[in-house]
Amino acid sequence: MSVISSNQRISIYRICFLCIGAIFIKMGHQKNVQASVTLNEDQNSGSYIKCRIDTEGLILWVNPEVTQLLGFTAAEMIGQPFTRFIFHEDIPASLAEFEKIQQGFPAIHYDNRWVHQNGDILWLSWSCIYDDSLKATFVTGKNITYQYHQNFLMQMKDQMIYDLNLALNESNIVVKTDPRGVITYVNKQFCEVSGYSEEELIGKPHRIVNSGYHSKEFFKQFWQTIKKGEIWKGEIRNRKKNGDIY
């Protein structure tokens, strides 16, 4: 829970308590190829894709799942270098991995990006092993585009929360409590305004700064709003350690 002071020079501060329950990010259609594909869980939960590649990197065989996923026919893929279908930025690393596989080092869950026939980008995770007797690399993969974008969204959310907390701590008075209203964190500005030290505040109920000005109904409505994960905005009159009102 964050308490924001808009003017520390007046006796009554306008404060805003923020409770962050979740941040939802909607990714729009972008021209950037890395974000051009949108998949749902049903598309992601299909069968494994499989193919065989010779020592020169030419595709020998693909199963129907490969053609369904990438939009190419088997005839369009067989005989072509596998790098033709890989996103250009991932080609050098994919070739290096391919060389290691042929040297007897199997690849497990190697991830790279492939290009759909319509230009969309797909994240695929591969497990590969080289068969020296057949002079071919056997490849089994799965579409992980949905999981990749979900992880990307989570990272963005975490970064946004971090940036928000940093901004609040640097420019406002901030106090956090547990669901019972017991203080678990205060920033430097809160201590300076209230007159209490951090040690005097941590573990104490937030009513330690209660001025007695507001009714019980006022705080009941306040806590109900916060516990629902909603944003409460309003003015609260608190009392400093020396008895002054802020």
Side-chain angles (χ1 to χ4, degrees):
M1 181 183 67
S2 303
V3 182
I4 304 177
S5 167
S6 60
N7 188 345
Q8 296 184 357
R9 293 174 298 178
I10 61 176
S11 60
I12 298 177
Y13 289 77
R14 181 172 183 82
I15 56 179
C16 174
F17 287 77
L18 304 179
C19 182
I20 304 173
I23 295 177
F24 296 96
I25 305 169
K26 182 177 180 180
M27 296 187 66
H29 295 289
Q30 303 176 9
K31 292 182 180 180
N32 187 317
V33 292
Q34 296 186 48
S36 62
V37 61
T38 55
L39 298 176
N40 57 36
E41 291 181 271
D42 290 335
Q43 289 175 299
N44 183 63
S45 60
S47 302
Y48 281 94
I49 52 179
K50 300 178 181 180
C51 62
R52 286 198 299 271
I53 303 173
D54 70 12
T55 55
E56 300 299 319
L58 301 179
I59 298 174
L60 298 173
W61 170 84
V62 294
N63 69 347
E65 283 73 17
V66 173
T67 59
Q68 292 171 12
L69 181 65
L70 296 180
F72 294 96
T73 65
E76 291 174 317
M77 298 189 71
I78 293 174
Q80 296 295 321
F82 75 92
T83 51
R84 175 189 166 186
F85 307 98
I86 293 179
F87 183 55
H88 64 91
E89 291 183 0
D90 293 352
I91 290 176
S94 298
L95 285 172
E97 190 68 23
F98 182 68
E99 291 180 6
K100 287 169 55 180
I101 293 167
Q102 293 191 94
Q103 293 170 8
F105 300 97
I108 299 176
H109 302 310
Y110 175 76
D111 302 342
N112 62 1
R113 290 167 289 183
W114 287 56
V115 184
H116 189 277
Q117 190 271 340
N118 65 10
D120 286 347
I121 303 301
L122 302 175
W123 277 93
L124 306 181
S125 182
W126 301 97
S127 293
C128 315
I129 189 168
Y130 177 69
D131 188 323
D132 188 56
S133 63
L134 297 176
K135 304 297 180 183
T137 298
F138 289 75
V139 182
T140 299
K142 194 166 182 65
N143 181 11
I144 60 168
T145 307
Y146 178 80
Q147 294 99 315
Y148 175 81
H149 285 301
Q150 287 299 105
N151 291 338
F152 178 69
L153 292 178
M154 288 297 296
Q155 292 172 6
M156 288 181 64
K157 184 193 76 170
D158 291 343
Q159 184 62 45
M160 289 176 67
I161 292 175
Y162 173 81
D163 292 343
L164 177 59
N165 285 334
L166 184 62
L168 287 172
N169 275 290
E170 290 182 347
S171 59
N172 303 283
I173 62 173
V174 178
V175 57
K176 297 180 182 179
T177 75
D178 65 15
R180 300 173 299 160
V182 175
I183 297 173
T184 59
Y185 170 82
V186 290
N187 70 343
K188 180 180 178 181
Q189 286 84 349
F190 186 88
C191 294
E192 291 177 352
V193 172
S194 69
Y196 289 96
S197 67
E198 181 179 352
E199 291 74 18
E200 291 174 309
L201 291 167
I202 301 298
K204 299 295 192 304
H206 191 269
R207 62 177 176 269
I208 190 174
V209 293
N210 190 338
S211 66
Y213 176 81
H214 302 282
S215 66
K216 291 183 178 180
E217 184 60 32
F218 174 88
F219 282 108
K220 180 180 179 181
Q221 186 272 332
F222 163 78
W223 284 111
Q224 286 176 343
T225 302
I226 293 297
K227 288 180 178 180
K228 288 190 293 186
E230 298 175 357
I231 296 175
W232 183 92
K233 294 183 179 181
E235 294 181 355
I236 291 182
R237 178 178 293 186
N238 286 332
R239 188 180 302 278
K240 295 183 179 182
K241 182 179 179 180
N242 65 7
D244 291 344
I245 299 298
Y246 72 96

